Amino acid sequence: MVESPSESLAETPLAALHRELGGRMVGFAGYALPVQYPAGIMAEHLHCRSAAALFDVSHMGQAELRGEGAAAALEALTPADVAGLKPGRQRYGLLTSPSGGILDDFMFANLGDRIFLVVNASRKEHDFGHIAAHLPQGVTLHRHEDRALLALQGPGAVPALATLAPGLAAFSFMGIGSFDIGGVHAIISRSGYTGEDGVEISVPADQAEAFARRLLALPGVMPAGLGARDSLRLEAGLCLYGSDIDETTSAVEAGLVWSIGKRRRMEWNFPGAERVRDELANGPKRLRVGIRPEGRQPARGHTPIAGADGAVIGEVTSGGFGPSVGAPIAMGYVARPFAEDGTSLDLMVRGKAVPARVAPMPFNPHRYAR
């Protein structure tokens, strides 16, 4: 995350609140967002693991697909099973290219009469243009520039919010529905990007600040920034688009085959199906793996990974210190022969070899509400 001049950055509806709370603003995906608050990244991270942390994710792209045939239209662009998703449920999916690369990862939900989409901030212009360009007559894409998105994450998140939204506690992981909370129309999904139980809440932009203040007043809730969000998702083994997945990586290489619907794997009629099918049959050249460096030296993105003979066999894509793990952790891609758990590696940090081993992910157990 690199700080950028604030005048060149867009702001979310919560920008004034972030500054009021002492948030240190940085540039991320073209937006000014808080990387941390006065409590610090470590405290925010650990508070999310033990209680509830509130993140502003309003920079993400929100939209709806409407019209008969919307599910089929989206299935033409993703390997995910859209048609089989029941009302009131949400699912993770990939937008894939004809060559089998990942254009983006996204969330989609069946809201009964429409499909609700959430895409990455850095890719939303590309994604929405790509989707709109491939829609058949009668299916339309409606962007929600007028809505904010908040993520309330941690074991205390749902118990706290359920005091305002009766019925939410009955939701299982990836459940989604509409709630009226004090006159605010909220679309709430039991999901998130931290490995913890929690929710993501879409609300009208002009009501977002007052709504966020109400959430922060709930017992056990504190604000958290991009720094904690990144360390939490890394401990959870979750990919960041542009770092761990991009147009050069496939679902097989990234370990995301689980996002491809079983029916889709029989039909093989999604973009990039030929590459996916070949890699499933013959194995990919590389695989995304978890990495545990020895000692306390973290390895950041783009750190070369070497095998026992010193030859470069891959690269770290995300890395840092895991506050809940109490040690440095990383993920990256290595040549397939080196991908087995326990394999010894060397991470070339500033030209010095740091011993490491391939390790299973997640580094911290997922605690979703099943």
Side-chain angles (χ1 to χ4, degrees), residues 19-332:
R19 294 188 173 94
E20 178 187 320
L21 295 173
R24 182 163 74 82
M25 308 298 279
V26 301
F28 181 76
Y31 284 80
L33 291 164
V35 67
Q36 66 179 75
Y37 296 90
I41 294 172
M42 179 82 75
E44 293 166 20
H45 176 114
L46 295 175
H47 191 82
C48 182
R49 292 276 187 244
S50 64
L54 182 65
F55 301 86
D56 179 12
V57 290
S58 301
H59 55 305
M60 305 286 278
Q62 301 181 67
E64 291 178 355
L65 281 176
R66 303 175 188 167
E68 189 175 347
L74 187 56
E75 279 199 353
L77 303 175
T78 175
D81 181 357
V82 184
L85 186 63
K86 295 180 180 179
R89 299 297 298 169
Q90 182 173 245
R91 187 167 283 166
Y92 173 89
L94 304 173
L95 291 173
T96 51
S97 71
S99 62
I102 300 172
L103 300 175
D104 199 9
D105 60 343
F106 71 113
M107 304 297 291
F108 62 96
N110 184 343
L111 296 184
D113 59 345
R114 62 202 190 280
I115 298 172
F116 181 60
L117 306 174
V118 178
V119 304
N120 283 301
S122 65
R123 299 292 285 174
K124 61 184 176 183
E125 297 303 325
H126 170 277
D127 291 352
F128 291 149
H130 176 69
I131 292 170
H134 289 84
L135 294 179
Q137 187 172 2
V139 179
T140 53
L141 178 75
H142 298 263
R143 294 181 60 164
H144 287 317
E145 307 285 3
D146 59 343
R147 295 187 74 83
L149 192 65
L150 308 176
L152 186 62
Q153 298 285 296
V158 170
L161 186 57
T163 63
L164 304 179
L168 178 62
F171 276 28
S172 60
F173 182 54
M174 291 294 198
I176 189 169
S178 296
F179 293 81
D180 186 292
I181 301 177
V184 176
H185 173 249
I187 301 171
I188 304 178
S189 66
R190 197 160 188 174
S191 62
Y193 192 49
T194 62
E196 296 293 330
D197 186 19
V199 293
E200 293 194 342
I201 313 162
S202 173
V203 297
D206 60 358
Q207 297 176 295
E209 182 177 324
F211 188 82
R213 290 181 186 277
R214 192 169 183 187
L215 295 181
L216 289 168
L218 294 172
V221 177
M222 72 178 289
L226 292 171
R229 183 170 162 84
D230 193 53
S231 57
L232 288 159
R233 71 92 190 168
L234 179 56
E235 286 188 342
L238 302 176
C239 294
L240 173 65
Y241 192 86
S243 295
D244 309 300
I245 51 175
D246 58 29
E247 293 190 36
T248 69
T249 53
S250 73
V252 182
E253 293 176 328
L256 298 174
V257 174
W258 57 267
S259 71
I260 302 176
K262 291 180 180 179
R263 171 176 54 84
R264 308 306 307 281
R265 270 187 261 180
M266 292 187 288
E267 296 170 341
W268 299 110
N269 60 352
F270 54 85
E274 185 177 347
R275 176 180 175 183
V276 170
R277 194 172 190 175
D278 177 71
E279 289 181 348
L280 284 174
N282 302 309
K285 293 180 180 179
R286 59 177 183 163
L287 283 166
R288 181 173 65 96
V289 297
I291 302 167
R292 291 292 297 265
E294 295 180 12
R296 308 292 288 180
Q297 176 71 54
R300 307 294 180 181
H302 302 299
T303 298
I305 303 171
D309 62 356
V312 173
I313 51 141
E315 184 179 82
V316 171
T317 53
S318 289
F321 186 79
S324 305
V325 177
I329 54 175
M331 70 171 79

